[in-house]
Each structure stands twice: as structure tokens, then as C-alpha cells.
Amino acid sequence: IHRKAIILEWARGKEYWFLGNLFEKIIISALQVILQQTIIALFLAEELYFLPKSVQKENESTQMHYYLLLTKANEACSIQHTSDSLIRRVVRYYEKQGSNKQTAEAYYYQGCVYRDLDDVDYALEAFQLATYLPNAPEHQLVGKAYNQMGNLFTYQKLDFEAMEAYRESAYHALHDKDSIAWSKRLKSTAHAFTALNQPDSALHYFELAIQANPQTLQKDIEKEKAELFIRMKDFSNARIALEHNPDDYLTWADYYHGVNKKDSASHYYEYALKHKRTNEWQRKAIYQRLSAYAEEQGEFQKAYFYLKMADRIQDTLHNKYEMEMVRQAQLIQTYRNASK
């Protein structure tokens, strides 16, 4: 990794006076690093922004390598894609001159771009194309594409389609021998079955996820099993699952609420309010529940305080929602203007 960084620094110092084949070697080396190290990918993403003027002097194949690499670097660093102009050129090039494997990869990253542009239909089409090319995509790429499709279907509340996509994703992760990805995608499949109100199937996939990678994900999955058992009002199994997460204050509070032990529930809800993992939506629900508890006990001043806290959070969430709607509208308008 150090040598690769030195090569990029050397190229920058020489103002990129080098032959096309060396340029391609740098791109290939950088790509290998991106796939291995997200932190280094961030460094490379910044380095690559110095290249556009020089890349124009290279042949079209090298230019397309560069544009695809830049898109990959942004994706690896979770930098939001704001335009499809470059990836469209990459896709057109590989459709005409690339191998099926290269074309499938270009489709996948085109899907990532449209996902960030909130163009769900185009994103789904691109991800589907990434899975269709015969004998081309590797299990890893196809699995990632199906996982992205599952996320988009979930966003659209198409729970059955999400479940099917997640199952396909898990299948390809298994064949890629990636136990962590397999476990995560089995967990996503369980989420889809939960949304479909099929708790038995959801629990089956949660168990498969634990078996796939018991060390790293068991606590998280046991937490989700506990939440599912509480929704099913199966409190004895919920208690067993919760034993793996003694500091999961919110789920413990929900458990005690379910078994009608409101003093214990209040105690854990207060702890959950102080925990950094508790999000604003959860805080709002907690304050509303604590307000109801206080009102039942005749502590009306306390009940009013909790209710005001819930209203304050609701106002904050509403403002954030409006700001996000404005941001998305601006992003879509920018995308339309760039596409003209």
C-alpha cells in the first residue's frame, strides 16, 4: 500500500508526464487498494481528482478505467454520487467494447449512482442488468446487486420483492464463501419476512444468520430476535434472547412493558434516553410512553413534561424531514439539468 501511494505521489510531482500503459498500471494498482482498504480509498479518491486534465490525453480505454475507478472510490468511501454523466459514458463504452464481466460491473455502479440520485426505477434496472449477463458476473457482484435491489424494494415497501432479492443475495454470498456477507444478507431476509408478518420464517433466517457467522453478529441478531418475540408476545423466548444483550436498555424496557412491570420498564426507558444509540424516533416514543405511565399514577405535571419533550422531538424531526425534501428536490433538479 505504501508503494502504491508513493507511485501516485511521484505521478503528481511529474505532472503526469507518463505513458498510457503506466497510467493504466497506476489505475489497476489503485483499484486493488480500494477493494482492500477503505481508508486508503479515501486518499485515492482525493488523489484521483487531480487527474481529469491529464486523463483526457490518454486513450479511451484508460479514460473509462479512470472514470469507473473514481466512481468506485466514491462508493467505497460512502461519498454521495451527484451526477450520472461519467458512469453513462462508462456503461456505453463497455456495452460496445468491454467483456461481459466489465459491463456487469459498470451496470452495478450505474445502479449505485442512480440510487444516490433517488431514481429508484433506473437504479433497479441497472442492478438487474448487472445480474443478467451470461457467464460474466462473479457471485460477489451479483450478491451485492441483489442486496442493493432488496434495499430499494424495502424503501418502496415492496416487502415480498425485498425478501426474494435478499434470498438471492444470500445465495450468492454463500457461493462466494463470504461468511460475513452471507450472515448479513440472511439477516436482511429475516427483516423482510418480519415486514411480511411471517415471524416463523423470520426466526428461521435469524437462526441461519447466527450459524453462518456466530462470533461477530450473534449479539445483534439476538437483539432483533428479542424484538420479534416481544411483538409476538412470546416473552419467555424474548427473555432468553435478551440475556445476550444486558445493556440493550430499550428492548429490556419493551420487554418489561410487555409483561406489565411498569416500574422496571420506566427504569430501563430512563437509561435508554441517556444512551447514544437511541435515535430521535425512539426517544419520542419513550417520552410518550413515560407520559402515559405518569398519567396513570396521577403525576400529571410529570406527564406533561414528558409530553412536551415528545412534541419538541417531533418538531425537530419535522424540520429535518422538510430540509431533506428540499435537498432531494434540488438534487433531482441538478440531475435533470445535467442530463439535458
Side-chain angles (χ1 to χ4, degrees), residues 146-172:
Y146 275 116
N147 192 57
Q148 294 278 2
M149 289 163 63
N151 293 341
L152 291 171
F153 285 134
T154 300
Y155 174 75
Q156 294 180 300
K157 299 189 184 304
L158 299 173
D159 299 316
F160 179 79
E161 288 81 356
M163 179 270 295
E164 290 289 321
Y166 285 135
R167 282 210 295 198
E168 284 290 334
S169 178
Y171 165 81
H172 288 283

Side-chain angles (χ1 to χ4, degrees), residues 66-233:
Y66 166 73
Y67 294 140
L68 182 58
L69 174 61
L70 190 57
T71 305
K72 283 187 171 188
N74 286 336
E75 182 69 15
C77 301
S78 300
I79 297 172
Q80 189 168 33
H81 307 288
T82 57
S83 172
D84 70 337
S85 58
L86 293 181
I87 196 64
R88 277 192 292 131
R89 289 181 60 186
V90 172
V91 168
R92 281 198 299 267
Y93 174 80
Y94 284 125
E95 281 178 335
K96 293 177 182 178
Q97 301 189 40
S99 66
N100 280 1
K101 182 178 178 180
Q102 290 171 317
T103 308
E105 188 174 44
Y107 283 141
Y108 174 79
Y109 284 100
Q110 186 179 46
C112 294
V113 170
Y114 285 128
R115 176 205 64 207
D116 282 2
L117 292 172
D118 292 320
D119 198 330
V120 176
D121 290 339
Y122 275 125
L124 284 170
E125 181 182 358
F127 287 133
Q128 286 171 338
L129 287 170
T131 69
Y132 285 166
L133 294 176
N135 304 320
E138 299 171 348
H139 282 294
Q140 184 185 48
L141 181 70
V142 175
K144 286 165 60 179
Y146 275 116
N147 192 57
Q148 294 278 2
M149 289 163 63
N151 293 341
L152 291 171
F153 285 134
T154 300
Y155 174 75
Q156 294 180 300
K157 299 189 184 304
L158 299 173
D159 299 316
F160 179 79
E161 288 81 356
M163 179 270 295
E164 290 289 321
Y166 285 135
R167 282 210 295 198
E168 284 290 334
S169 178
Y171 165 81
H172 288 283
L174 172 62
H175 280 267
D176 191 43
K177 298 181 180 179
D178 186 341
S179 61
I180 295 177
W182 185 35
S183 184
K184 287 181 177 178
R185 290 165 191 175
L186 288 168
K187 189 171 76 164
S188 295
T189 307
H191 293 161
F193 274 115
T194 301
L196 287 167
N197 199 27
Q198 297 183 28
D200 291 338
S201 295
L203 288 169
H204 171 70
Y205 275 93
F206 277 135
E207 288 298 335
L208 287 177
I210 290 174
Q211 293 170 23
N213 197 339
Q215 294 182 340
T216 57
L217 295 174
Q218 182 170 9
K219 284 187 69 173
D220 287 343
I221 295 172
E222 291 290 353
K223 166 184 166 61
E224 297 191 53
K225 283 174 58 182
E227 292 169 350
L228 182 58
F229 281 129
I230 289 169
R231 274 183 239 143
M232 296 167 64
K233 300 190 184 304

Side-chain angles (χ1 to χ4, degrees), residues 216-280:
T216 57
L217 295 174
Q218 182 170 9
K219 284 187 69 173
D220 287 343
I221 295 172
E222 291 290 353
K223 166 184 166 61
E224 297 191 53
K225 283 174 58 182
E227 292 169 350
L228 182 58
F229 281 129
I230 289 169
R231 274 183 239 143
M232 296 167 64
K233 300 190 184 304
D234 184 350
F235 296 111
S236 59
N237 278 318
R239 177 71 186 239
I240 293 170
L242 273 169
E243 295 296 337
H244 294 272
N245 289 279
D247 59 346
D248 182 10
Y249 305 122
L250 182 55
T251 311
W252 275 104
D254 289 339
Y255 163 77
Y256 282 119
H257 175 80
V259 296
N260 203 31
K261 293 185 177 180
K262 294 181 180 178
D263 287 343
S264 296
S266 295
H267 174 75
Y268 276 97
Y269 280 134
E270 293 285 358
Y271 270 116
L273 285 171
K274 299 173 185 176
H275 204 287
K276 61 183 179 181
R277 286 186 302 183
T278 306
N279 64 42
E280 293 302 293

Side-chain angles (χ1 to χ4, degrees), residues 1-11 26 29 33 43:
I1 289 171
H2 181 61
R3 260 190 239 138
K4 295 180 179 84
I6 290 173
I7 290 172
L8 286 172
E9 283 297 323
W10 172 85
I26 290 174
S29 295
V33 176
F43 160 75

